[in-house]
Amino acid sequence: KVRSGPNYSKNKIKNPSGESLYHPVALRCYKSSCITPCISKSLPFPTECLSGMEEFDRHATDGINNIKDTGRWWNREGNEDIPEVLVIRFVLPYESPSMFGGGGGGKSGTECNSDELVIYLRPTQHFIEEMNSTDNQERHQHKNAAVSPLNVENDYNTIRPATRLFKRWCILSTQDAAFRSRFKCMAKVRDFETRHSNLSYLKQYNGRPVIITESGRVMKGTTCGGVRFLEMRCN
């Protein structure tokens, strides 16, 4: 469940979360002897991340649907910061970092033996439809007379608060450390008691949110193939 407004601080009401904004399409696990600043620029994306994009490219047109300007999924201006591929990367070190910024044995801060888990996600159809309607609301705020008030109201009612918050996070995450630190992760292991009874000490953390604060890093970019991504690294 997630916090539900208005006035959550007073009412303390939580409701089941809505449909996901992104869905996972690929996962990678590997061992590393150093922390790569941005794995999305160092390794090519799995083929599952790119499935269907080539067909879109062949039928792309100029103007508002130009891939360079808006991306493959978003057909409205103003969504340039929303990634076509969202990359969530967990770095799980074997050793504690040095309190003076370097690793043990004279290692630098980026040299660290660790396991890495990389999850690749693509936007859901519902999220794409929501993002393609946010521009109407934004243009209305700028008093664009070409936008019908009825359409604006319909658009606003179909856009979830989570969608508006995520868009804002994508815009500010590389600029505002405090806003970036609002990112939460929640791991939920199914059938925990029957399949992992030997790990009972971890039960209290199952399905609990964890805020990624100072250890989080965000990188944005576009691959050589023109795929716009946002990578969130969690140490």
Side-chain angles (χ1 to χ4, degrees):
K1 293 185 177 183
V2 295
R3 298 179 178 184
S4 180
N7 299 322
Y8 171 79
S9 58
K10 176 181 178 181
N11 300 324
K12 305 296 182 182
I13 295 176
K14 289 188 176 183
N15 290 315
S17 63
E19 180 184 344
S20 299
L21 305 185
Y22 285 73
H23 62 95
V25 294
L27 181 146
R28 281 175 171 157
C29 298
Y30 55 88
K31 295 183 182 296
S32 175
S33 59
C34 65
I35 299 177
T36 304
C38 184
I39 203 68
S40 300
K41 292 184 178 181
S42 301
L43 293 177
F45 282 153
T47 55
E48 293 85 352
C49 293
L50 308 177
S51 176
M53 289 188 179
E54 299 86 351
E55 186 67 19
F56 187 100
D57 292 351
R58 285 195 290 270
H59 293 86
T61 58
D62 292 331
I64 195 66
N65 290 323
N66 191 305
I67 293 173
K68 181 179 178 181
D69 296 331
T70 63
R72 294 167 174 81
W73 311 128
W74 328 124
N75 61 20
R76 292 189 183 276
E77 295 177 340
N79 292 331
E80 293 81 7
D81 287 285
I82 311 302
E84 297 170 302
V85 176
L86 177 63
V87 183
I88 308 297
R89 177 181 167 208
F90 297 94
V91 180
L92 310 172
Y94 297 150
E95 53 197 18
S96 300
S98 169
M99 62 183 298
F100 297 105
K107 294 181 180 179
S108 67
T110 60
E111 293 180 327
C112 178
N113 293 320
S114 60
D115 286 332
E116 295 202 23
L117 173 67
V118 186
I119 305 173
Y120 298 87
L121 306 99
R122 279 184 29 172
T124 63
Q125 185 59 39
H126 187 190
F127 178 56
I128 292 172
E129 293 171 358
E130 286 184 297
M131 290 311 305
N132 287 337
S133 66
T134 58
D135 184 58
N136 274 343
Q137 177 67 12
E138 290 167 355
R139 286 189 291 161
H140 175 68
Q141 293 173 350
H142 288 82
K143 299 181 180 180
N144 186 326
V147 180
S148 165
L150 179 60
N151 289 338
V152 169
E153 182 178 356
N154 290 338
D155 283 345
Y156 186 83
N157 290 336
T158 58
I159 301 169
R160 294 168 292 174
T163 299
R164 294 194 292 271
L165 177 61
F166 180 74
K167 178 177 181 179
R168 188 180 175 201
W169 186 86
C170 288
I171 295 172
L172 297 178
S173 58
T174 56
Q175 309 168 23
D176 187 332
F179 202 85
R180 182 186 67 232
S181 298
R182 298 174 67 175
F183 187 91
K184 289 184 178 180
C185 291
M186 184 186 300
K188 178 68 174 179
V189 179
R190 297 177 180 177
D191 301 326
F192 188 92
E193 294 183 355
T194 57
R195 294 175 178 241
H196 306 284
S197 57
N198 61 320
L199 300 176
S200 58
Y201 63 94
L202 294 177
K203 181 181 177 180
Q204 60 180 319
Y205 303 106
N206 194 31
R208 295 291 184 88
V210 176
I211 299 179
I212 308 300
T213 55
E214 295 298 325
S215 64
R217 294 291 183 273
V218 172
M219 284 71 67
K220 296 179 184 178
T222 304
T223 67
C224 57
V227 178
R228 192 166 63 232
F229 68 86
L230 184 150
E231 177 179 320
M232 176 66 177
R233 189 183 82 204
C234 311
N235 291 3

